[in-house]
């Protein structure tokens, strides 16, 4: 399962920092625009492994009918494929009625360009609105969602995950390590300009606003003690906790090194005891 998006890429990240923070720098290996989809497409073309993959990509630049039609074709062209297995609206577009978006996505399904549609970063309320619209108007419905989920961000637990369980919606959560925060290498007094070069917090400093709080630093200390007790790396224990939620279908892993993949596989293969999961879930 390969997760990408129209907004992913070194050039896109560089442009976003310039637009959002007024920062002009190069922290990525490539500054090619849309490089995530393009790299994936080049690899697929070179290896011929398309039939072994499930490819998920997203529209990030607006969910109007016109833009969805345009961006679906752009993603197909960049990856050199004729069908997208999973297509998601990256974030809610409050300027466009959800019915307009669903109508356009349904059109793409009927044309054979998309197999399954879904959303990312939608709240339970927004997801329910979309489901109700699909049921009322006969549109294709969201069958998959991509929320953040980790020991440092459990906001999906209260309403979103129960909704997905009731409606049999797949959940492919992201940031199981809270953008690297749960590795335990950051301090409460971390100076923003001293984040490790190339880290998620270096490339997107706004992530610190999400995860840097007293509660999460207490969770880090609990995690550190428990990992020492079990003789297991903190990152593996934290990832195993995210993977073991019964309503999570799959956890997306962003790996910069091969050992990041090895850690994810080891976390998946390790069966977490329910009592341990409950203990970790009670940390505060």
């Amino acid at each position: 399962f390969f997760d990408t998006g129209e907004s992913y890429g070194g050039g896109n990240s560089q442009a976003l920092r310039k637009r959002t923070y007024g920062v002009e720098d190069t922290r990525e290996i490539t500054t090619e625009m849309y490089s995530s989809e393009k790299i994936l497409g080049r690899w697929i073309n070179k290896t011929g492994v398309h039939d072994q993959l499930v490819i998920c990509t997203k529209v990030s630049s607006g969910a109007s009918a016109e833009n969805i039609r345009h961006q679906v074709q752009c993603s197909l062209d960049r990856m050199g494929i004729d069908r997208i297995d999973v297509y998601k609206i990256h974030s809610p577009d409050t300027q466009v009625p959800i019915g307009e978006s669903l109508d356009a996505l349904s059109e793409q399904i009927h044309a054979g360009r998309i197999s399954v549609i879904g959303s990312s970063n939608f709240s339970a309320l927004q997801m329910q609105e979309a489901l109700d619209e699909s049921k009322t108007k006969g549109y294709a419905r969201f069958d998959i969602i991509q929320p953040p989920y980790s020991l440092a961000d459990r906001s999906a637990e209260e309403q979103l995950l129960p909704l997905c369980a009731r409606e049999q919606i797949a959940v492919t959560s992201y940031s199981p390590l809270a953008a690297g925060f749960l590795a335990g290498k950051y301090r409460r007094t971390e100076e923003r300009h001293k984040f490790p070069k190339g880290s998620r917090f270096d490339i997107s400093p706004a992530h610190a606003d999400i995860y840097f709080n007293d509660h999460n630093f207490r969770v880090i200390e609990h995690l550190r003690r428990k990992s020492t007790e079990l003789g297991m790396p903190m990152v593996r224990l934290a990832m195993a906790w995210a993977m073991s939620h019964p309503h999570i279908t799959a956890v997306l892993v962003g790996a910069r090194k091969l050992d990041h993949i090895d850690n994810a596989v080891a976390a998946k293969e390790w069966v977490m005891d329910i009592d341990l999961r409950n203990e970790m879930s009670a940390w505060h």
Side-chain angles (χ1 to χ4, degrees):
F1 187 100
F2 281 75
D3 178 81
T4 183
E6 65 150 303
S7 65
Y8 295 168
N12 300 69
S13 294
Q14 190 176 15
L16 177 64
R17 286 196 302 277
K18 182 177 180 180
R19 185 169 64 249
T20 305
Y21 307 116
V23 175
E24 290 195 60
D25 60 4
T26 302
R27 309 183 204 185
E28 295 77 25
I29 293 174
T30 176
T31 57
E32 178 183 37
M33 295 296 290
Y34 313 109
S35 59
S36 180
E37 288 185 331
K38 289 180 178 178
I39 290 169
L40 181 57
R42 290 194 288 266
W43 178 67
I44 290 171
N45 182 63
K46 180 179 179 180
T47 59
V49 296
H50 187 199
D51 61 347
Q52 301 175 44
L53 309 177
V54 174
I55 297 175
C56 169
T57 193
K58 312 175 196 72
V59 57
S60 308
S61 53
S64 69
E66 181 180 4
N67 194 55
I68 285 173
R69 296 185 192 103
H70 174 67
Q71 294 301 337
V72 166
Q73 190 59 55
C74 287
S75 290
L76 290 170
D77 291 343
R78 285 192 285 263
M79 291 186 284
I81 58 179
D82 58 11
R83 188 194 72 257
I84 297 167
D85 300 305
V86 180
Y87 197 72
K88 297 173 182 171
I89 297 178
H90 203 159
S91 297
D93 187 341
T94 58
Q95 304 303 310
V96 178
I98 190 63
E100 177 183 337
S101 306
L102 291 167
D103 188 22
L105 291 168
S106 299
E107 174 189 285
Q108 296 298 306
I109 290 176
H110 295 148
R113 299 187 186 95
I114 299 173
S115 296
V116 171
I117 60 171
S119 63
S120 180
N121 301 306
F122 273 49
S123 68
L125 184 62
Q126 290 163 333
M127 194 66 173
Q128 186 64 66
E129 179 187 2
L131 293 172
D132 291 344
E133 188 77 3
S134 293
K135 185 176 181 180
T136 302
K137 303 290 180 58
Y139 300 136
R141 77 165 202 161
F142 288 155
D143 279 322
I144 187 168
I145 191 169
Q146 183 172 320
Y149 184 64
S150 71
L151 278 165
D153 182 356
R154 298 172 57 185
S155 55
E157 286 183 339
E158 185 174 353
Q159 297 181 359
L160 184 61
L161 293 183
L163 169 65
C164 292
R166 290 194 304 271
E167 297 290 339
Q168 295 186 304
I169 295 167
V171 181
T172 51
S173 60
Y174 69 91
S175 279
L177 299 180
F181 175 82
L182 293 174
K185 57 187 177 183
Y186 299 103
R187 303 185 302 274
R188 294 173 188 259
T189 57
E190 194 77 49
E191 295 182 48
R192 300 299 177 92
H193 65 283
K194 292 185 178 179
F195 290 138
K197 288 298 179 185
S199 68
R200 181 62 64 88
F201 289 104
D202 175 50
I203 293 172
S204 300
H207 279 86
D209 298 328
I210 301 173
Y211 298 117
F212 281 45
N213 58 60
D214 289 342
H215 172 269
N216 283 343
F217 278 108
R218 289 195 298 271
V219 168
I220 283 287
E221 293 311 309
H222 286 300
L223 182 62
R224 198 186 311 278
R225 286 193 291 269
K226 183 56 67 172
S227 68
T228 300
E229 176 187 326
L230 297 175
M232 176 182 293
M234 292 173 64
V235 290
R236 187 171 305 167
L237 184 58
M239 191 168 289
W241 180 88
M243 289 176 169
S244 63
H245 192 290
H247 300 334
I248 297 291
T249 310
V251 169
L252 300 175
V253 177
R256 291 187 296 114
K257 302 176 182 178
L258 288 175
D259 60 2
H260 293 170
I261 299 176
D262 293 338
N263 176 70
V265 172
K268 177 63 178 172
E269 291 178 342
W270 184 62
V271 180
M272 176 173 280
D273 180 82
I274 186 63
D275 290 336
L276 174 59
R277 192 179 200 285
N278 288 340
E279 176 189 344
M280 293 174 66
S281 299
W283 289 344
H284 62 275

